[in-house]
Amino acid sequence: MVVVDVAVDAVDDADDFVHPIFQRAPGEDGGTDTSRLYRYQAEVAAQACLAMLTRDEIEYVVCEWHEDFVIAFKDGAVELVSVKHRQYHRTLWNVGDLCKDGGLAHLFNSWRACGSADNVRLRLTTNGALNTSKGNAAALARMCGPDPEVTAGVDAMARTVAQYFLRIRWKQPYPHIPVVTETKKMADIVIPDGFVATIKRFLSVLHIDYKSVPSSRFITDHNLQQLLRPAILALELDHVDDEATYRRIVERIEQANRGEGERGQLAEYIATPSRVLHNVQMQQRIARRTLYPHTVREEFVYREFTVPTFSPGRLPMVAPGGANLRKKLVRGHVPDDEVAHAESLRSAWYVAWAEHRSGLPGDSSDLANMRLEVLDTAFDCRADAQSETAEGSPYGARMNRLLRQRLTPEAMSATLPFKINGKHLRGLAYQLCDDCDYYFSDVFDVSEGEAS
């Protein structure tokens, strides 16, 4: 069994890791699709990106790499996806059309470029109907996949596909399709030994997705109704502008699709003596084309509204802990009423995080990013409070007032998977203080007796 190795090398951030399949640069694609068809491609890719919001098995999506996009799964599998839009006035797809214009030859070449690894799957997505005559495109679709609906006639179909690929190779530079002598009749093409068996393996990892695939006229509405709005409900997000959010997500995919124009050849990448350097450059290029669940969530657009500190109908509760915060505020000479208010805000943050976090793995990175920004702001406030206070005098009260002024959602570049207000941010700041990440005075031993 050949499998693309997905062992993670030593990396500082899990998001920096990419499957080795993406360390191989695909060959040039000379397609001349119009901007309208590129938009359709982006909207099909949006289906996979939106699925990441509610499906834990998808790890990330890479746009325009080997094929129109690639879906990477947490179990180590990857799926190369080719998207083909078919206008209504065009005839039904037949086997020959699927091989050439439908992109099956391109998919085959990409699969072979990836070493025909057993954890690489393939998918052709098209809105075009398939010819249902005997032995034609619909029959081919039913012969695909690890558990095909139809097994009779697979050998004959594989021979037909092999001959189409070999004929396409006469005009198209697909290095992983063998070159054979040109003939006038396709039936006279001599198939190299073992090539039909390779085609049968190709069909076993291929899925032709054509049933109920929306056209360019209807895909936006389909994605909104069937994917984005259910995801918003599942994530329990409020005040989301779904149409603006969808536009932002598609635009983000289009940006990833554009990337940079240059694509190195696979053979050159493997053969170059400086392939380690190329590997770094390759990963940087792939990173610009990659979308994670948190990347998609960052594109959410919220309607303007006043964010309540506590959700309607929910009673406030007291967060666990708080002793360290109280001691630090008292040591910093923060007034008693402000100390009590700080404890209330810490509880407000505790309730908001417990109620509204998405529950997806990206929560931890979202919180880590916000935590860094809040701490940076706290440290700046402390430095400014010290500089504005006579040497040796308590500065905690001044620092607390600066936190109130500066800890606002608008001032933060990091985002969370739900809307917050300034009180939530200060509550997070007070929680970090309770966790002993910073002080409102010189550092002291918080295990001392209870502050009064």
Side-chain angles (χ1 to χ4, degrees), residues 6 17-22 48-49 52 55-63 69-81 119-121 123 286 290-293:
V6 294
F17 170 68
V18 292
H19 292 289
I21 184 176
F22 301 120
C49 292
M52 287 194 293
R55 290 175 54 187
D56 288 340
E57 69 268 24
I58 301 177
E59 189 167 11
Y60 54 84
V61 173
V62 180
C63 299
F69 61 95
V70 179
I71 304 173
F73 297 87
K74 292 181 181 177
D75 65 0
V78 290
E79 185 176 56
L80 313 185
V81 183
N119 59 335
V120 177
R121 303 195 296 261
R123 174 155 56 99
I286 294 167
T290 303
L291 291 91
Y292 295 90

Side-chain angles (χ1 to χ4, degrees), residues 7-28:
V8 182
D9 294 326
V11 292
D12 294 330
D13 187 340
D15 284 356
D16 290 339
F17 170 68
V18 292
H19 292 289
I21 184 176
F22 301 120
Q23 297 172 6
R24 300 178 176 183
E28 296 289 340

Side-chain angles (χ1 to χ4, degrees), residues 19-334:
H19 292 289
I21 184 176
F22 301 120
Q23 297 172 6
R24 300 178 176 183
E28 296 289 340
D29 185 353
T32 57
D33 289 341
T34 64
S35 59
R36 176 182 53 80
L37 295 183
Y38 275 125
R39 182 75 173 193
Y40 182 75
Q41 172 188 318
E43 294 203 67
V44 174
Q47 295 177 345
C49 292
L50 292 172
M52 287 194 293
L53 297 174
T54 55
R55 290 175 54 187
D56 288 340
E57 69 268 24
I58 301 177
E59 189 167 11
Y60 54 84
V61 173
V62 180
C63 299
E64 283 283 352
W65 199 258
H66 286 284
E67 292 295 333
D68 293 324
F69 61 95
V70 179
I71 304 173
F73 297 87
K74 292 181 181 177
D75 65 0
V78 290
E79 185 176 56
L80 313 185
V81 183
S82 177
V83 179
K84 297 297 178 184
H85 188 268
R86 191 80 160 173
Q87 298 291 355
Y88 285 113
H89 67 271
R90 296 291 299 274
T91 58
L92 303 177
W93 287 112
N94 60 38
V95 174
D97 290 337
L98 285 179
C99 290
K100 184 180 179 183
D101 298 333
L104 289 188
H106 194 285
L107 269 173
F108 176 83
N109 190 72
S110 296
W111 175 64
R112 294 289 289 165
C114 297
S116 307
D118 290 330
N119 59 335
V120 177
R121 303 195 296 261
L122 310 168
R123 174 155 56 99
L124 168 63
T125 294
T126 178
N127 67 303
L130 306 188
N131 191 313
T132 57
S133 62
K134 185 178 179 179
N136 217 306
L140 170 61
R142 297 175 67 195
M143 294 177 182
C144 293
D147 297 306
E149 296 179 47
V150 174
T151 56
V154 172
D155 288 342
M157 181 65 76
R159 288 185 60 83
T160 299
V161 171
Q163 288 176 319
Y164 275 119
F165 283 2
L166 294 170
R167 188 171 71 174
I168 291 168
R169 181 65 177 90
W170 296 339
K171 303 295 183 182
Q172 297 292 332
Y174 291 140
H176 296 282
I177 297 176
V179 178
V180 298
T181 303
E182 295 190 28
T183 62
K184 291 184 178 179
K185 297 181 180 180
M186 194 176 79
D188 295 333
I189 295 175
V190 178
I191 302 175
D193 291 343
F195 193 56
V196 171
T198 302
I199 295 296
K200 290 174 70 175
R201 278 196 60 208
F202 165 70
L203 297 181
S204 72
V205 298
L206 171 67
H207 173 65
I208 300 178
D209 182 18
Y210 68 99
K211 296 179 180 179
S212 302
V213 175
S215 69
S216 59
R217 291 176 58 196
F218 302 110
I219 190 169
T220 297
D221 186 64
H222 171 87
N223 289 354
L224 277 168
Q225 298 286 353
Q226 303 298 322
L227 295 169
L228 179 56
R229 286 169 185 162
I232 291 170
L233 290 175
L235 297 174
E236 298 182 345
L237 299 178
D238 297 321
H239 306 285
V240 176
D241 186 329
D242 51 10
E243 294 187 4
T245 295
Y246 182 75
R247 288 195 298 270
R248 284 272 299 268
I249 291 171
V250 173
E251 288 167 2
R252 178 66 181 81
I253 294 169
E254 289 180 320
Q255 178 186 352
N257 280 343
R258 288 191 293 271
E260 70 296 311
E262 184 270 333
R263 284 183 171 187
Q265 292 289 339
L266 172 63
E268 177 186 354
Y269 167 64
I270 294 175
T272 178
S274 58
R275 59 184 179 274
V276 174
L277 176 60
H278 272 258
N279 182 55
V280 174
Q281 294 172 338
M282 197 82 65
Q283 292 194 15
Q284 291 173 343
R285 291 169 57 196
I286 294 167
R288 291 191 287 271
R289 298 177 181 268
T290 303
L291 291 91
Y292 295 90
H294 67 79
T295 315
V296 178
R297 293 202 305 274
E298 287 170 358
E299 301 303 326
F300 272 53
V301 178
Y302 294 86
R303 299 184 183 91
E304 290 298 325
F305 70 105
T306 302
V307 182
T309 304
F310 291 101
S311 298
R314 296 294 184 93
L315 293 175
M317 62 180 295
V318 177
N324 292 338
L325 171 64
R326 186 164 54 253
K327 292 177 184 179
K328 292 179 178 182
L329 291 172
V330 170
R331 181 66 67 95
H333 288 237
V334 175

